[in-house]
Amino acid sequence: MTAPMISQADGYNFAYLDEQTKRMIRRSILKAVAVPGHQVPFGSREMPLPYGWGTGGIQVTAALLGTDDVLKVIDQGADDTTNAVSIRRFFARTAGIATTTRTAEATIIQTRHRIPETPLRADQIIVYQVPQPEPLSGLESSRTETSRMHGLADYGLMHVKLYEDITRYGHVSISYDYPVMVGGRYLMAPSPIPAFDNPKMDRMAALQLFGAGREKRIYAVPPYTEVRSLDFDDHPFRASRAPHTCNLCGADDSYLDEVVTDDKGGRMFVCSDTDHCEERRDGR
Amino acid sequence: MADETLLSARGLTLHFGAIPALVDVDADLWPGEVLAVVGESGSGKSTLLNVLAGRMAPDAGAVWYRDPIGALHDVHAMPAPALRTLHRSDWGFVHQNPRENLRMAVTAGGNVGERLMARGSRHYGDIRAEAISWLRQVEIDAGRVDDFPRTFSGGMLQRLQIARTLVTHPRLVFMDEPTGGLDVSVQARLLDLIRTLVRRLGIAAVLVTHDLAVARLLAHRIMVMQRGRVVESGLTDRVLDDPKHEYTQLLVSSVLSA
């Protein structure tokens, strides 16, 4: 279900950003791909949407787009929420490119909080919107100290956090933005995707790019790179999901949203990936 | 092997502006030996400790450390990652104020386990068992393993810091006034504990103190510092019973006897 063509707005450069800015962002992207998991600073620009709505992701996407690209934008798994619709329209207007809601048809997928259930291919790029790129931010407040810790691969502190979780709750209580090691070297925040999606990052065929606009950082996971969720040998990482099936398509292996349906305690579980859910229903 | 030093310093000099903190200081430490550095406030003791541990760079002079396979390392020329590795495995640092070293928002077990995890331990059960075993060794009830350090007394905090430092079995520990700020009975118990652990584990230590009684109890050898210079050094009993330098004589004679 490709969206109807929206006519391109006049007076804007292709994909909104000027060419010099796009070159600057591409240089940071190249460096990020060369050092997987390492946060590369970039000159983040003011964008016509508020911080926290995807200013980092939208700049990375703008730097990547070509005239023949097909863009999909996801917000919490859904294609039809405000953020997703607005960013899709934004690029349809400023770049005149085709947009889609189908994962398989897209060449670039900008996402907030989810990785599509459909496995991505080598000819696709996924761009994550990142609020906080520093995985150690809640544990060590000094940026100077955290960059030193990254430089020396000194990540004992992150394991102390996991140790404390197991001691207090019996299991690791991090349910989203679950820290990962990239290529056995850099500790990385995977953006606030559910821990359920972490295994999809490991050796993914698609290029994964992360843009943090407010924090002015870009980082990347190149295709087929090892991404391992932190854990203990005797408390291995587990991808958890709500123990239900989707009320719409019946899937028992997808990530579910709990939706309140009335004020009498009624609720239902549905796939958070709307495209995945629709395809399953169409295919039945 | 016995004649090979673990740590050697030659010609250490460091000025803070016009103030000489260290003037041509030599020091040697042999494996399993405790060296006390004594002197009044401002004599350069803590500066010497920081320079020996590579935490502060001298204006001149060098510090050499011999690793377990016998290779010598210039502590101040080492790459930062190597020095960091040394500090979290082979070496330990015990601060006067345990709050500087401990993570107050992390349980006692997590505090003791941090160095193990930094070194690569990835088995929760083993880390926890090791933490409990170390709490016992520093005479903290094993039931306190999940308690936060803020619920501990001053003496317990210092013992917790020692457990956290010794858990990786360091060969060399730097101690900066480990009994400072504790009342006398707690000090005595802590000194007894340190002495037992250091003997049993064969740890070498550089101990900075202004308390000659602490030096007498723990140290094999002693260095007396005054205005950045070492004025006298030798076996602890010799220096304290038969002080040669007039400043040492003053220090020894000014100790109050109960």
Side-chain angles (χ1 to χ4, degrees):
Chain A
M1 90 176 187
T2 304
M5 275 302 268
I6 299 164
S7 61
Q8 193 181 347
D10 290 332
Y12 287 104
N13 188 40
F14 178 76
Y16 185 77
L17 290 175
D18 62 278
E19 294 304 313
Q20 285 305 318
T21 300
K22 287 199 265 183
R23 284 186 62 183
M24 174 271 293
I25 294 170
R26 286 176 199 142
R27 275 198 293 271
S28 294
I29 291 174
L30 288 176
K31 185 170 177 183
V33 171
V35 192
H38 173 62
Q39 301 163 44
V40 180
F42 79 110
S44 179
R45 299 291 191 254
E46 289 283 336
M47 296 302 284
L49 78 168
Y51 286 132
W53 286 46
T55 52
I58 207 170
Q59 288 179 78
V60 171
T61 303
L64 295 172
L65 279 178
T67 47
D68 53 356
D69 270 315
V70 181
L71 180 67
K72 170 183 164 77
V73 183
I74 327 170
D75 173 10
Q76 306 267 16
D79 292 280
D80 50 6
T81 48
T82 313
N83 202 229
V85 172
S86 305
I87 294 175
R88 215 162 46 226
R89 271 183 66 88
F90 174 76
F91 282 118
R93 295 277 303 274
T94 58
I97 48 134
T99 60
T100 180
T101 58
R102 308 292 292 263
T103 303
E105 288 171 9
T107 56
I108 296 174
I109 300 166
Q110 181 174 331
T111 181
R112 170 171 181 266
H113 294 203
R114 275 312 307 276
I115 297 176
E117 305 287 356
T118 313
L120 301 184
R121 302 182 312 265
D123 60 345
Q124 293 177 309
I125 299 177
I126 181 165
V127 178
Y128 299 79
Q129 299 171 196
V130 181
Q132 177 51 262
E134 178 50 70
L136 297 161
S137 65
L139 305 168
E140 171 59 62
S141 51
S142 159
R143 259 282 179 178
T144 315
E145 182 56 23
T146 54
S147 24
R148 191 177 296 130
M149 291 161 89
H150 284 296
L152 303 178
D154 189 359
Y155 297 134
L157 183 58
M158 192 76 242
H159 269 93
V160 171
K161 153 79 179 148
L162 301 191
Y163 174 95
E164 291 289 291
D165 267 9
I166 295 172
T167 302
R168 227 171 289 171
Y169 311 112
H171 59 93
V172 176
S173 68
I174 310 168
S175 54
Y176 62 93
D177 210 354
Y178 192 107
V180 293
M181 282 299 285
V182 178
R185 174 59 183 84
Y186 280 99
L187 183 69
M188 189 185 89
S191 85
I193 57 171
F196 175 84
D197 282 343
N198 271 20
K200 295 179 189 157
M201 305 179 81
D202 186 33
R203 295 171 209 282
M204 186 193 275
L207 170 63
Q208 305 176 66
L209 299 175
F210 300 78
R214 186 191 54 207
E215 303 292 326
K216 301 175 173 57
R217 294 290 189 283
I218 286 173
Y219 50 102
V221 176
Y224 306 107
T225 303
E226 182 201 33
V227 176
R228 206 172 54 75
S229 304
L230 290 192
D231 61 359
F232 286 103
D233 297 344
D234 49 345
H235 286 265
F237 171 81
R238 276 178 312 142
S240 63
R241 62 184 286 280
H244 298 276
T245 54
C246 174
N247 278 36
L248 301 178
C249 74
D252 58 359
D253 56 353
S254 67
Y255 194 73
L256 301 176
D257 282 341
E258 184 176 7
V259 182
V260 176
T261 51
D262 54 35
D263 59 356
K264 298 178 186 67
R267 59 198 54 207
M268 64 192 275
F269 286 89
V270 294
C271 288
S272 111
D273 185 340
T274 52
D275 170 57
H276 178 72
C277 198
E278 274 166 25
E279 267 181 42
R280 279 179 53 87
R281 277 178 283 155
D282 292 347
R284 263 201 312 214
Chain B
M1 279 300 282
D3 55 334
E4 289 195 325
T5 59
L6 186 66
L7 192 76
S8 289
R10 289 291 174 270
L12 294 180
T13 300
L14 179 60
H15 289 263
F16 295 127
I19 304 160
L22 296 175
V23 181
D24 199 22
V25 174
D26 294 348
D28 286 298
L29 183 72
W30 279 269
E33 179 192 49
V34 178
L35 171 68
V37 183
V38 301
E40 60 193 9
S41 296
S43 58
K45 308 183 298 277
S46 296
T47 307
L48 176 63
L49 194 72
N50 283 323
V51 169
L52 288 177
R55 291 155 56 98
M56 203 183 268
D59 296 338
V63 180
W64 296 89
Y65 170 70
R66 192 182 305 277
D67 70 15
I69 53 167
L72 275 178
H73 300 274
D74 180 344
V75 170
H76 292 282
M78 272 173 115
L83 189 60
R84 187 97 157 194
T85 308
L86 206 54
H87 264 289
R88 67 187 185 203
S89 54
D90 253 17
W91 288 7
F93 204 105
V94 175
H95 294 261
Q96 174 173 2
N97 181 357
R99 289 173 185 81
E100 280 180 32
N101 193 349
L102 295 171
R103 295 189 188 280
M104 301 306 279
V106 167
T107 61
N111 265 293
V112 177
E114 178 169 354
R115 274 166 74 101
L116 292 172
M117 292 182 254
R119 207 180 53 177
S121 298
R122 293 292 177 260
H123 192 285
Y124 176 83
D126 291 353
I127 294 165
R128 191 173 167 82
E130 188 78 9
I132 289 173
S133 138
W134 270 99
L135 289 183
R136 285 214 181 90
Q137 290 187 61
V138 296
E139 298 165 15
I140 295 175
D141 182 27
R144 302 295 301 269
V145 66
D146 294 337
D147 290 352
F148 290 100
R150 63 169 180 269
T151 65
F152 284 22
S153 69
M156 284 171 80
L157 283 179
Q158 195 55 283
R159 279 179 276 143
L160 182 60
Q161 183 190 193
I162 289 168
R164 170 179 162 89
T165 308
L166 297 187
V167 68
T168 52
H169 296 277
R171 302 166 71 218
L172 171 58
V173 176
F174 300 93
M175 296 191 218
D176 192 359
E177 303 269 13
T179 58
L182 299 175
D183 72 53
V184 180
S185 63
V186 177
Q187 267 194 31
R189 193 169 157 207
L190 185 66
L191 286 172
D192 195 43
L193 176 77
I194 295 175
R195 186 171 57 171
T196 314
L197 287 175
V198 166
R199 289 245 171 97
R200 183 157 57 79
L201 302 168
I203 297 168
V206 182
L207 167 75
V208 160
T209 180
H210 63 268
D211 188 341
L212 293 182
V214 170
R216 166 92 77 180
L217 198 64
L218 291 177
H220 301 103
R221 283 190 311 120
I222 195 167
M223 281 168 63
V224 184
M225 292 191 69
Q226 185 190 23
R227 288 189 222 107
R229 291 171 195 277
V230 176
V231 293
E232 186 165 0
S233 64
L235 296 174
T236 306
D237 288 346
R238 206 283 294 152
V239 172
L240 295 183
D241 292 343
D242 182 19
K244 299 257 190 304
H245 192 273
E246 55 186 38
Y247 176 68
T248 317
Q249 292 170 357
L250 181 73
L251 272 185
V252 171
S253 66
S254 61
V255 172
L256 296 173
S257 48

